Amino acid sequence: MKTASYNRNLRAKPATAVPLPDGDSLVEASPVGLCLLEKNGHIVSMNTAFAAALALPVEALTGEHILRFIDDGDISTVNAVIEDVLQGRPSSLPYEIRLIGPTQSFWVHASFAQAAEGSPRIILQVQSIDALKQALATLQKNETRWKYALESAHQGVWDHDFSTNDLFYSAHWKTIRGMSADATVDGSLDVWIETVHPADRQHVIECIRRQDDGDVAFNTFEYRERHADGHWVWIESRGASIEWGKDGKPSRIIGTDTDISERKKAEAQLEETSRRLRLALDVSKVGVFEANLDTGVVVRDEQLLRIYGLEAVSANQNGAVFEQRLHPDDRAGALARVEAGIASTVPFYNAFRIVRPDGEIRHIRSSSVTFTDAEGERKLIGANWDVTEDVVLRDDLEQARQLAEARNLELEAARTRIEYNALHDHLTGLPNRRFLDQRLDEWIADKVDYCAILHIDLDRFKQINDTLGHQAGDAMLVHTAQVLTSIICGNDFVARIGGDEFLVLCDASQTQEAVTSLADRIIDTLRQPVVYDGHLCRFGASVGIAWSADSTADAKQSLMNADIALYRAKGLGRNRYEFFTKQLQTQIHHAKRTADEIIKGLEDGEFVPFYQPQFDARTLDITGVETLARWVHPRHGLLAPDYFLKIAEDINALTAIDRSIAEQALRDLGYWDMHGLNVPRISVNVSSPRLRELGLIDSLKQLNIPRGRLSFELLESIFLDDLDENASQTLSDLRALGIDIEIDDFGTGHASIVGLMKLSPSRLKIDRALVGPILEVAEQRKLVGSIIDIGHSLSIEVVAEGVETIQHAHILRDLGCDTLQGYAFAKPMAKSDLETFIRAGKWRPRAIPVGHTRSRIRSNFPG
């Protein structure tokens, strides 16, 4: 630990004001000056009272060194106190020091404490006592002026002249007790003692008796007295006997009462802080000692004895027993450093080994400092702590570092040996990506010149690897390298840049027509079948072309442009080439920017749930809500999924969006339950990656989802007839957790009845494309009715989405549909809007009149 000894001439370093810890508002309102110091003594922040005490603005104090505002005569005291605090030895009493303001110095009570357990920062608390100091000085100079000095110092004056039975109490004496200035005071002991706190009465009576009996000429005591409004006020009473009767007892006593409530409160706070510091010292296992350099007496705490493996003995011991524990190899050096540190009078550190009585060797660190106490005796105070584990770890790390350096030397030697091979692909013999980067650097430096970049990616190459094995794939890569090498011109450059990707730099002398012809030849040649091990291998190539024309300083940008063009060529069907254009770049950049914004939006919580209510087709009671993802874009506002869904799928962000929306919806459901809003069930859309996410079931278990309150909506076209074993197990686990399965957009895919029975969902939702035409097309109504009947026959509830009008609702109810969802009743809305909607209940006047139901609707769906 570094020492806390400061020099006031140190220049202030820049500092950024930070709030004082723990209860900022109370600290700011406190009339006691509070200041937060760095370990090195620079001021971090303060409250208004501290700045006001120095008569300086906060900006002028922040970052300054505290010793710039300490009187020269008190600097050594401040240094010693701060060192004690940092070493865990705070004093329970405040110190009287002088602060230096712009025009004069003034006295304060100063207390120092660590800001928090283990913190290197220090809280300085000051309370001005300058007025009291001046009053006492004035009293010593001229006793006749004592009354006026004390009154000006806000001290209540009392004068008891027993010879005349004249009892005087000043206006401020009454103010302390909440009395008016003209109030009559009954100063008899029997009456007054009743206003004293019961716990203090015996003490007060004893102090008064001693003075009345003449045992003391000057009396000071503290006690609590009840204020006029009922609370207790701490009072410090000082009285002096100035006249005596013939019996030798005082006949007149004059004194002052001071309200010390704030000081008592500060002392209590300081004591609590000191208690915490003592606790921190115990927890940190730091041993503390204090040695009297004049008498040789050493006091050590129990923790220090435990560190050295010694039994608890007398608190006062000499240093010999501890010097005997020093390791023989370290004894001379450790003692020499102690001797030098004492001679220097500045804080110093020490490091040594000890041999405990059981023979165990431990590594010790020590921090010490000398000081002179109030009696003028020289003392050495310090702390020891055991760092054996740290030393062992450091040695282990050093050995690991040396081993790593040795291995790095071996690797460097190997790298040097294979530097040449590192520039070429080991399979095809072509230049590799590293070689390409060097060539691009030469292009930029005008050492070579090219007119175009062709980025080539093999089509259907993965199928060859998967069906015939990697050896077949390697053979195709070698064949491709041979084709490219045979086709390019003499000054062209061809490289394999990774996997099944190749790149050609065309010589600057070639025209655009020649480059186009080269691309055609590459595609046509690589399209031809290749025989491998009796198999006819067919693959092709997609080519992206970036034409650099006369621009030779933008080689790496041209490389990126070729990559963009290749992306377009593969997207348009493969086995073709595409030139880079500005329009293409704009499209790619938009997709990339949107992808980045999606990722940032997930981090910033921009994806939020919207809710569309679902209604019982007969009672119009709310049966649940469908949760829909919306993106609150910082620039474009509220965006629906069709804006971001495809790009989110491309960057594998659908799982994160699904998870975020589901978690928010569950929190909202809990809020609604707590506030009495009837939302029986929420359903959330689940993408295929989300359903196959590792750890999905475990994460859902931790959420403690109420059974029957959550449904997962799965797209029919993805899940119904294509359930692998893992997906089926996941659905089974979801049902075990009480999570329902719903089929979304039913009727738009190609699901079979067998597939529907295999999935066994709780609900299926008829797609809006089937619901819309039922008003005009009778065949469409029959189709929707058939779907409803199929669902009911399999004990599956049927939900119709896209219910745009009340007429749609009439027909669907009569067809036996269980649940309605659509703009006829409510659009998707935010959480707060949904809560308002439910409380208002305005959809109910649209109640659907009961019509004629078809006879084939089952009896458990009332008509």
Side-chain angles (χ1 to χ4, degrees), residues 655-671:
T655 296
I657 293 175
D658 286 351
R659 185 189 311 114
S660 174
I661 295 301
E663 290 174 354
Q664 293 180 68
L666 286 171
R667 287 197 297 269
D668 290 345
L669 180 63
Y671 175 86

Side-chain angles (χ1 to χ4, degrees), residues 532-550:
Y532 173 79
D533 197 20
H535 298 278
L536 202 60
C537 300
R538 295 181 181 273
F539 64 98
S542 299
V543 182
I545 306 173
W547 182 258
S548 59
D550 298 327

Side-chain angles (χ1 to χ4, degrees), residues 14-248:
T16 302
V18 299
L20 285 167
D22 300 330
D24 291 345
S25 60
L26 292 177
V27 169
E28 183 59 25
S30 174
V32 177
L34 292 170
C35 171
L36 183 62
L37 304 178
E38 292 284 6
K39 178 181 177 181
N40 58 14
H42 288 92
I43 299 174
V44 178
S45 61
M46 70 222 71
N47 66 356
T48 302
F50 188 88
L54 286 169
L56 289 172
V58 172
E59 297 79 9
L61 293 171
T62 302
E64 292 291 335
H65 200 286
I66 187 62
L67 293 187
R68 297 174 66 90
F69 309 101
I70 303 296
D71 190 273
D72 289 343
D74 298 323
I75 287 178
S76 61
T77 300
V78 172
N79 275 331
V81 174
I82 292 180
E83 177 61 20
D84 285 349
V85 171
L86 291 176
Q87 296 299 332
R89 301 180 302 275
S91 172
S92 60
L93 297 176
Y95 293 83
E96 294 184 358
I97 63 172
R98 286 158 290 181
L99 297 183
I100 303 174
T103 58
Q104 62 182 1
S105 63
F106 56 96
W107 285 92
V108 296
H109 271 154
S111 301
F112 299 81
Q114 277 185 300
E117 295 183 5
S119 172
R121 292 180 170 178
I122 300 170
I123 294 178
L124 168 60
Q125 174 178 295
V126 299
Q127 185 173 13
S128 175
I129 59 170
D130 199 62
L132 178 59
K133 282 282 188 176
Q134 293 177 9
L136 292 176
T138 302
L139 182 61
Q140 292 172 353
K141 292 179 180 178
N142 191 346
E143 290 186 0
T144 59
R145 298 164 55 191
W146 67 270
K147 177 179 178 180
Y148 306 103
L150 293 176
E151 288 292 345
S152 66
H154 302 289
Q155 293 180 322
V157 180
W158 50 269
D159 183 352
H160 290 176
D161 190 342
F162 299 116
S163 61
T164 62
N165 201 26
D166 182 11
L167 305 181
F168 168 78
Y169 304 95
S170 70
H172 191 71
W173 186 96
K174 299 175 183 178
T175 301
I176 292 175
R177 292 156 174 83
M179 304 166 63
S180 61
D182 57 355
T184 301
V185 179
D186 186 343
S188 61
L189 180 59
D190 293 341
V191 174
W192 172 78
I193 198 65
E194 293 298 322
T195 65
V196 175
H197 194 286
D200 299 337
R201 289 175 186 171
Q202 190 60 39
H203 167 66
V204 169
I205 291 174
E206 176 60 22
C207 291
I208 294 175
R209 183 199 63 75
R210 293 179 62 217
Q211 188 153 28
D212 287 346
D213 291 346
D215 295 342
V216 292
F218 186 83
N219 202 8
T220 301
F221 56 92
E222 298 175 358
Y223 67 95
R224 285 161 291 181
E225 188 171 339
R226 187 177 297 280
H227 192 271
D229 62 9
H231 71 272
W232 296 102
V233 181
W234 272 100
I235 294 175
E236 181 183 69
S237 182
R238 296 173 176 266
S241 302
I242 62 171
E243 296 179 8
W244 291 263
K246 294 180 179 180
D247 57 0

Side-chain angles (χ1 to χ4, degrees), residues 188-351:
S188 61
L189 180 59
D190 293 341
V191 174
W192 172 78
I193 198 65
E194 293 298 322
T195 65
V196 175
H197 194 286
D200 299 337
R201 289 175 186 171
Q202 190 60 39
H203 167 66
V204 169
I205 291 174
E206 176 60 22
C207 291
I208 294 175
R209 183 199 63 75
R210 293 179 62 217
Q211 188 153 28
D212 287 346
D213 291 346
D215 295 342
V216 292
F218 186 83
N219 202 8
T220 301
F221 56 92
E222 298 175 358
Y223 67 95
R224 285 161 291 181
E225 188 171 339
R226 187 177 297 280
H227 192 271
D229 62 9
H231 71 272
W232 296 102
V233 181
W234 272 100
I235 294 175
E236 181 183 69
S237 182
R238 296 173 176 266
S241 302
I242 62 171
E243 296 179 8
W244 291 263
K246 294 180 179 180
D247 57 0
K249 293 184 178 181
S251 60
R252 184 179 181 186
I253 305 173
I254 297 178
T256 62
D257 284 359
T258 306
D259 185 346
I260 58 171
S261 301
E262 291 300 322
R263 191 184 82 190
K264 283 291 186 177
K265 185 186 300 183
E267 289 174 355
Q269 293 172 348
L270 184 59
E271 174 57 29
E272 175 63 18
T273 301
S274 299
R275 186 191 66 79
R276 293 176 180 173
L277 292 176
R278 289 193 297 271
L279 178 61
L281 191 62
D282 291 341
V283 171
S284 66
K285 298 183 179 179
V286 173
V288 179
F289 70 89
E290 181 180 274
N292 191 316
L293 300 178
D294 294 331
T295 65
V297 174
V298 183
V299 179
R300 300 163 176 101
D301 67 358
E302 294 182 0
Q303 180 59 37
L304 193 66
L305 295 172
R306 284 193 292 269
I307 290 175
Y308 282 77
L310 298 175
E311 297 293 335
V313 292
S314 172
N316 297 332
Q317 313 162 38
N318 58 36
V321 64
F322 284 89
E323 293 177 8
Q324 294 170 2
R325 300 271 68 82
L326 291 173
H327 192 283
D329 296 341
D330 296 348
R331 181 178 291 115
L335 295 178
R337 285 188 291 273
V338 172
E339 186 175 343
I342 294 174
S344 69
T345 69
V346 297
F348 63 94
Y349 296 96
N350 211 338

Side-chain angles (χ1 to χ4, degrees), residues 5 94 118 141 149 161 203 233 261 300 304 373 407 428 461 556 590 606 625 696 765 802 837:
S5 180
K141 292 179 180 178
D161 190 342
H203 167 66
V233 181
S261 301
R300 300 163 176 101
L304 193 66
D373 66 10
R407 290 178 177 174
T428 64
F461 176 76
K556 294 190 177 180
H590 171 73
E606 295 173 2
V625 294
L696 171 63
K765 299 181 71 174
F837 177 82

